[in-house]
Amino acid sequence: MPLPDDTPAWEIRPNDALVPLHYDDELVGFLKPDIAIRVANILNEEYRARRALRLACYDLVSRAGGGNSEIEELMNKYLARATQPRSGVGAIARWLKQRQDELGVTDAEFERFCDSYRLPKEKLEALSMGDIDGSMLVPLARVLGCSIQDVMEVLEGSRR
């Protein structure tokens, strides 16, 4: 068995065939065929979704008698609303929803689960309204199965 230092720096893999990926007739890279198909499908779907959003915003703005700049503003507004929060109370709420999905429980069962960790329904409702206080950090960490530091980092935006 060769030592880790004895591995060659250059190697070939003749069975790894790559296909070109093009965007508007320009070569952007080479990928394995299965990956290339997935990437192209995802990017094409995203293009169609943005185009549909643009058309919907155009319809809304044209009904109100607005101009092209308003279409871009409206698109950006909707895209921002559709983006998952990465920090703050919204990220904690999303994390709680993921935890519920991991556990595979209903809303009522999850409320009971949270209550067993001293996070009552009233606190969950306050959290959904954007309110969070220091007394919720320990129960949140228990429910989420992480440390208090992890919860604080997500709230402050320095993690996740």
Side-chain angles (χ1 to χ4, degrees):
M1 181 166 120
L3 295 174
D5 294 346
D6 295 340
T7 57
W10 292 90
E11 62 180 285
I12 61 168
R13 295 181 183 161
N15 296 330
D16 285 353
L18 301 177
V19 296
L21 181 65
H22 292 90
Y23 176 74
D24 282 341
D25 293 329
E26 283 206 35
L27 179 66
V28 293
F30 293 92
L31 300 167
K32 290 183 177 182
D34 58 330
I35 302 293
I37 290 169
R38 288 186 9 217
V39 167
N41 287 341
I42 289 168
L43 293 175
N44 284 328
E45 185 61 34
E46 192 238 347
Y47 174 77
R48 282 189 293 276
R50 281 189 178 269
R51 189 167 176 207
L53 176 62
R54 175 176 283 289
L55 291 171
C57 289
Y58 177 79
D59 288 346
L60 288 173
V61 169
S62 66
R63 287 182 192 160
N68 283 341
S69 63
E70 291 180 43
I71 294 171
E72 290 298 320
E73 290 175 23
L74 194 57
M75 278 184 62
N76 290 335
K77 175 184 160 187
Y78 283 119
L79 288 170
R81 286 176 59 189
T83 303
Q84 295 288 338
R86 295 191 159 280
S87 63
V89 178
I92 296 293
R94 181 179 59 118
W95 199 1
L96 282 168
K97 183 63 177 156
Q98 289 174 343
R99 181 69 170 141
Q100 179 182 353
D101 293 343
E102 286 172 8
L103 295 171
V105 295
T106 65
D107 290 344
E109 291 170 329
F110 190 67
E111 285 175 6
R112 284 194 302 274
F113 173 76
C114 291
D115 193 46
S116 71
Y117 285 104
R118 307 287 189 255
L119 189 62
K121 181 179 179 179
E122 298 79 32
K123 295 278 187 175
L124 285 173
E125 289 171 354
L127 191 132
S128 70
M129 300 301 268
D131 292 333
I132 194 165
D133 60 48
S135 68
M136 295 171 67
L137 294 177
V138 173
L140 275 172
R142 288 182 186 149
V143 167
L144 295 169
C146 65
S147 71
I148 297 170
Q149 183 65 31
D150 291 338
V151 174
M152 290 177 62
E153 286 175 0
V154 170
L155 281 171
E156 295 166 357
S158 59
R159 180 171 174 257
R160 212 156 160 90

